[in-house]
Amino acid sequence: MLDVSRLRVLVAVARRGSVTAAAKELHYSQPSVSHHLARLEAETGAQLVQRAGRGIRLTEAGHLLAERAAEIIARLDAASEELAAHVGLRSGRVRLAAFPSALGTFVPSAAMALSSGHPGLRLNLTETEPPEALRLLRAGRVDVAVMFRYDDTAPEDGGLSLVHLFDDPSYLLSRGPSGTLADHAGSSWIAGCDRCRSHLLDMCGKAGFSPEICFTSDDIVAVQALVAAGLGLTVLPGLALRAHRNPEVTAVEIPGSTRHVYAATYGGPPYPPATQALLDALVTSIGNHPTTAGEAGRQSG
């Protein structure tokens, strides 16, 4: 069995890039770090580091083990915190990653509910798009990731458990009367994050054209300002329109275009108490918000 202390040394060397920097981070002597690395190589039977000038660098095997070790250590640390906070959820922390329009709508309500029910539990928030949120989740750096996917999004890797929160319709945004996607085959388009951009390309392809993308931004305020200025059209989900709505744009729902919003965890139930409390708060917050379709539809004029 691999020694966790030696794995921590390897991760520190990979992160800091040298034995000297790793020793300083861990408050070890340099000979001690070198000894741990040598013992880890003996345990694994693999060369993990090699000389590079006056320093060292990780081998391919070393990088592979360091990456896995970082995930293992993060989960051990998280488990330790969860265990300490188990009784009554009186202390500890829970970490959530979510995309911007979620943080601008229902996540604050969930945070308030969590704080009210468990005042000793600290919530850490990270704003990021789904691919990075899921990477943080797998690495053990967050406990829950609020993410979205479209029907045409590539399946996520195994090991994740998804709690469905709601379905979010898409809207075509224009400065004037919008019509359908096919009516704007020759128009300029504004794309968002990679996952939304891929969905836009897929929808336009099904409508019989390839969009000319002139601007790219995942800032929903900037995107709507560009549309209002007549610089292009875009597609936004209803949740984004609830987070911010420029009164000078027209929004028309696109039939059959829906993104699915989930709360993702690593592994299935039963969840650690703090994670379950956060999931419950997210589900409750969704129930307290109006549907995105109704909200956006009322504003579309």
Side-chain angles (χ1 to χ4, degrees), residues 85-103:
H86 182 84
V87 180
L89 293 175
R90 291 190 295 267
S91 63
R93 68 171 180 177
V94 64
R95 301 159 299 174
L96 173 68
F99 53 93
S101 59
L103 285 173

Side-chain angles (χ1 to χ4, degrees), residues 2 6 35-48:
L2 298 180
R6 290 168 189 154
H35 173 74
H36 279 303
L37 292 175
R39 292 296 301 161
L40 190 57
E41 288 187 326
E43 289 177 353
T44 60
Q47 183 181 0
L48 303 176

Side-chain angles (χ1 to χ4, degrees), residues 107-252:
V107 168
S109 297
M112 187 167 59
L114 186 69
S115 177
S116 176
H118 308 286
L121 189 61
R122 187 173 77 255
L123 174 64
N124 290 352
L125 295 173
T126 299
E127 177 186 308
T128 188
E129 297 293 346
E132 175 64 11
L134 294 179
R135 190 190 72 78
L136 294 174
L137 184 64
R138 293 189 186 94
R141 294 173 61 185
V142 299
D143 305 295
V144 177
V146 172
M147 48 81 70
F148 64 85
R149 66 184 323 279
Y150 296 95
D151 291 334
D152 50 34
T153 301
E156 281 74 29
D157 296 337
L160 300 178
S161 180
L162 302 180
V163 176
H164 180 253
L165 297 178
F166 61 92
D167 291 329
D168 194 12
S170 299
Y171 291 81
L172 174 61
L173 270 64
S174 63
R175 184 172 63 173
S178 58
T180 66
L181 289 174
D183 293 329
H184 298 281
S187 300
S188 298
W189 288 84
I190 303 163
C193 70
D194 289 344
R195 186 163 290 195
C196 296
R197 180 191 184 98
S198 178
H199 182 59
L200 173 63
L201 293 174
D202 182 76
M203 285 191 300
C204 292
K206 291 178 180 177
F209 70 98
S210 178
E212 180 185 359
I213 296 176
C214 298
F215 301 97
T216 298
S217 174
D218 57 6
D219 184 330
I220 59 175
V221 177
V223 166
Q224 292 184 55
L226 292 172
V227 173
L231 298 178
L233 292 88
T234 195
V235 171
L236 286 181
L239 194 65
L241 294 177
R242 254 188 40 215
H244 170 76
R245 179 58 190 271
N246 188 311
E248 297 181 23
V249 302
T250 299
V252 175

